[in-house]
Amino acid sequence: GENVEQHPSTLSVQEGDSAVIKCTYSDSASNYFPWYKQELGKRPQLIIDIRSNVGEKKDQRIAVTLNKTAKHFSLHITETQPEDSAVYFCAASTRTAGNTPLVFGKGTRLSVIA
Amino acid sequence: KAGVTQTPRYLIKTRGQQVTLSCSPISGHRSVSWYQQTPGQGLQFLFEYFSETQRNKGNFPGRFSGRQFSNSRSEMNVSTLELGDSALYLCASSFLSGGVNEQFFGPGTRLTVL
């Protein structure tokens, strides 16, 4: 089955700097890659996702890139702000005749230092 | 639309007991997935129900079971509780089956096994 590795497990950046979180996946059939943000004590929420027919997707200060050949995808946050501090999870799944469940990475705790 | 709700929010049980958790999805969503969240392990998939049928199952022992009712509400049951079952249990609803579209998470049930 699918296995998703996420790095780093913790990341500290100065406010205004960029943050990058990387994930690799094992199943070449995976074609849907969402990112979820979980603030302390809150539920995970989708912040951005990308499908395999797209190499990059942006939404204001966040972007996700996908390299299907290398089987890795990354989350980029620019001009970080204190409210970006949270745990971020990447995930992967396959949209086939029998949709597979999301497999999550173990998370990255991002701290933005003011 | 009202969000995903879970009851109870907190539970304390002792080893050997059993527990039932409940999840009410967003109106119109027929898929409910359950996840176990523990520190350092991220979100681990338990199972998914869609239109009252189990569609996918994760790698958890048979002590973990679930069901879904005709109104899409879902319950999960853990029998013969072990200390290692202490975790935050999250459910997520989505319109389609599988992990290929946005999952909307509930607030979770915090289970403590003593």
Side-chain angles (χ1 to χ4, degrees):
Chain A
E2 176 66 276
N3 182 53
V4 177
E5 299 281 342
Q6 184 171 346
H7 300 280
S9 57
T10 60
L11 179 60
S12 291
V13 298
Q14 292 289 329
E15 182 178 359
D17 286 351
S18 295
V20 181
I21 303 170
K22 298 181 180 180
C23 290
T24 60
Y25 60 98
S26 61
D27 189 349
S28 57
S30 289
N31 54 12
Y32 175 64
F33 308 92
W35 287 86
Y36 283 80
K37 175 184 180 182
Q38 186 176 29
E39 297 177 46
L40 188 63
K42 302 242 178 116
R43 66 191 77 187
Q45 290 190 299
L46 179 72
I47 55 170
I48 194 168
D49 59 11
I50 191 168
R51 300 188 187 273
S52 60
N53 57 343
V54 176
E56 182 176 6
K57 185 177 178 180
K58 287 184 180 179
D59 183 3
Q60 299 182 358
R61 295 187 297 108
I62 61 173
V64 57
T65 58
L66 171 64
N67 184 326
K68 286 219 72 179
T69 303
K71 291 191 283 188
H72 67 71
F73 56 112
S74 301
L75 177 71
H76 304 253
I77 306 174
T78 58
E79 301 172 20
T80 53
Q81 301 168 3
E83 52 265 37
D84 294 329
S85 295
V87 178
Y88 291 82
F89 294 97
C90 63
S93 69
T94 305
R95 184 165 197 161
T96 60
N99 294 336
T100 62
L102 279 174
V103 177
F104 284 87
K106 293 186 178 180
T108 296
R109 183 174 299 280
L110 173 64
S111 299
V112 179
I113 304 164
Chain B
K1 279 185 180 178
V4 179
T5 59
Q6 291 186 245
T7 57
R9 294 293 310 280
Y10 302 92
L11 267 178
I12 299 176
K13 294 285 186 180
T14 56
R15 280 180 298 174
Q17 287 187 308
Q18 74 163 20
V19 66
T20 299
L21 314 181
S22 179
C23 173
S24 292
I26 290 172
S27 177
H29 285 188
R30 292 187 292 163
S31 169
V32 174
S33 297
W34 289 88
Y35 299 88
Q36 181 192 67
Q37 185 174 24
T38 54
Q41 291 301 312
L43 295 155
Q44 294 185 286
F45 174 76
L46 282 153
F47 29 66
E48 181 209 359
Y49 286 86
F50 184 84
S51 294
E52 302 179 67
T53 301
Q54 188 180 86
R55 286 292 183 93
N56 289 295
K57 190 176 190 309
N59 295 322
F60 278 81
R63 299 185 296 107
F64 292 82
S65 62
R67 59 177 175 168
Q68 187 178 35
F69 302 95
S70 58
N71 62 357
S72 294
R73 188 178 70 85
S74 177
E75 290 182 345
M76 69 164 277
N77 184 76
V78 188
S79 61
T80 320
L81 284 166
E82 301 178 359
L83 294 178
D85 296 333
S86 293
L88 180 67
Y89 290 88
L90 292 161
C91 75
S93 78
S94 61
F95 184 70
L96 298 174
S97 174
V100 295
N101 57 161
E102 183 172 1
Q103 306 267 302
F104 293 85
F105 283 86
T109 295
R110 173 77 59 187
L111 172 65
T112 302
V113 182
L114 303 176

